[in-house]
Amino acid sequence: MGNFEGNKKDVPDRQPNEYRPEKPGLGMVEQDSPPMTLHSATRPNPMRFLIRGMHVTLIFTAMLLAFQGRADAAQVHRLNPDEMRLFNLVSQHAGQKRTAMNLDPILCKVARQKAMDMERRSYFSHVDPAGVGPNRLVSRAGYVLPATYSAEMSGNNIESIAMAAGNMAEPFELWLRSGSHRPHLLGENPWYAAQTSVGVGVYRSGRFPYYKMVVLITAPPNASRRPPPLVLKAPNGRTLADTRAVLPFLFP
């Protein structure tokens, strides 16, 4: 072994606790490299924030204008007093098993049209003279039913009908006493309990001994991402439901 003093020239010139690689590699800086000035690289640019703010404002304005245009194009369907009464009887009954029931604009419009069609074409049936059933009617109106529901032209998993001469308590009580209608009315099995969206239609006519055609439709919530724009209003004009999303154009 040589002594330490004799080999001193072979010891790298480093300060205590200092690490300096023998050769600069990736990410390494040589000794004579200029110091980094972080303050110049991270200085905020006011114009950048101003431009970003303008972009956000323009996008938000375009969103509001698009929504306003869609709002102006919406149709309005107004319930009559009999229809409102029927919904209250069904939804507020003590035996109702559904945890929630919501009036749906599309289902209400289809139910009213079905009631009118039965009177005008003089029939009383779930299937119209052309062989079209309730499932197909709501599908044509833009309401998407689950794949497990009947896709047959005459299919019906959603509708009850009645004729009435007086108030809505009459058809309601008839349905309650019917073994086939009561489960639909009150959601007494899982199939009907999942049908939380409701449509009610009542049309008055003098052509039948029972001059009010009554239609009740219940279905699971609409699976359509872009239902037709339709606003549902109560008899007093209060808005009850609206098929439009808050910003529908964000979800094509």
Side-chain angles (χ1 to χ4, degrees), residues 7-171:
N7 296 329
K8 188 174 182 180
K9 63 180 184 298
D10 298 326
V11 178
D13 182 16
R14 298 173 182 163
Q15 297 297 322
N17 301 323
E18 178 185 6
Y19 172 75
R20 188 187 308 162
E22 297 298 333
K23 294 182 180 180
L26 184 64
M28 299 177 182
V29 181
E30 294 186 89
Q31 179 67 21
D32 57 352
S33 298
M36 297 179 64
T37 54
L38 296 177
H39 64 278
S40 62
T42 58
R43 183 179 301 165
N45 187 342
M47 286 301 297
R48 181 182 301 173
F49 290 107
L50 178 61
I51 293 173
R52 286 180 180 177
M54 293 174 63
H55 285 169
V56 171
T57 301
L58 290 173
I59 292 172
F60 185 69
T61 302
M63 290 162 60
L64 289 178
L65 290 174
F67 177 67
Q68 181 63 38
R70 185 169 167 84
D72 293 342
Q75 296 182 354
V76 175
H77 181 80
R78 187 188 295 262
L79 296 180
N80 60 44
D82 279 334
E83 291 166 342
M84 195 77 247
R85 174 61 175 160
L86 178 61
F87 173 72
N88 289 336
L89 286 170
V90 175
S91 62
Q92 298 173 11
H93 189 269
Q96 183 59 248
K97 304 301 182 184
R98 298 177 178 93
T99 56
M101 298 188 74
N102 304 301
L103 284 166
D104 182 87
I106 296 175
L107 296 184
C108 285
K109 184 177 181 179
V110 171
R112 169 88 62 79
Q113 290 173 340
K114 177 62 177 292
M116 294 173 62
D117 189 58
M118 287 194 296
E119 189 277 333
R120 291 174 178 175
R121 292 205 279 176
S122 302
Y123 72 95
F124 181 73
S125 171
H126 293 298
V127 182
D128 69 17
V132 180
N135 289 15
R136 186 61 59 92
L137 290 177
V138 301
S139 297
R140 288 177 177 177
Y143 200 98
V144 178
L145 295 170
T148 53
Y149 280 53
S150 174
E152 297 292 330
M153 181 70 75
S154 60
N156 176 32
N157 303 117
I158 59 176
E159 179 188 79
S160 289
I161 58 177
M163 290 188 288
N167 60 38
M168 291 300 100
E170 180 182 340

Side-chain angles (χ1 to χ4, degrees), residues 89-101 172 176 181-196 218:
L89 286 170
V90 175
S91 62
Q92 298 173 11
H93 189 269
Q96 183 59 248
K97 304 301 182 184
R98 298 177 178 93
T99 56
M101 298 188 74
F172 182 73
L176 281 178
H181 292 88
R182 182 184 177 94
H184 176 224
L185 196 68
L186 300 180
E188 290 184 336
N189 61 49
W191 176 274
Y192 290 126
Q195 297 179 346
T196 56
T218 63

Side-chain angles (χ1 to χ4, degrees), residues 219-235:
N222 193 356
S224 173
R225 296 181 63 190
R226 298 277 302 187
L230 185 61
V231 177
L232 181 67
K233 291 184 177 290

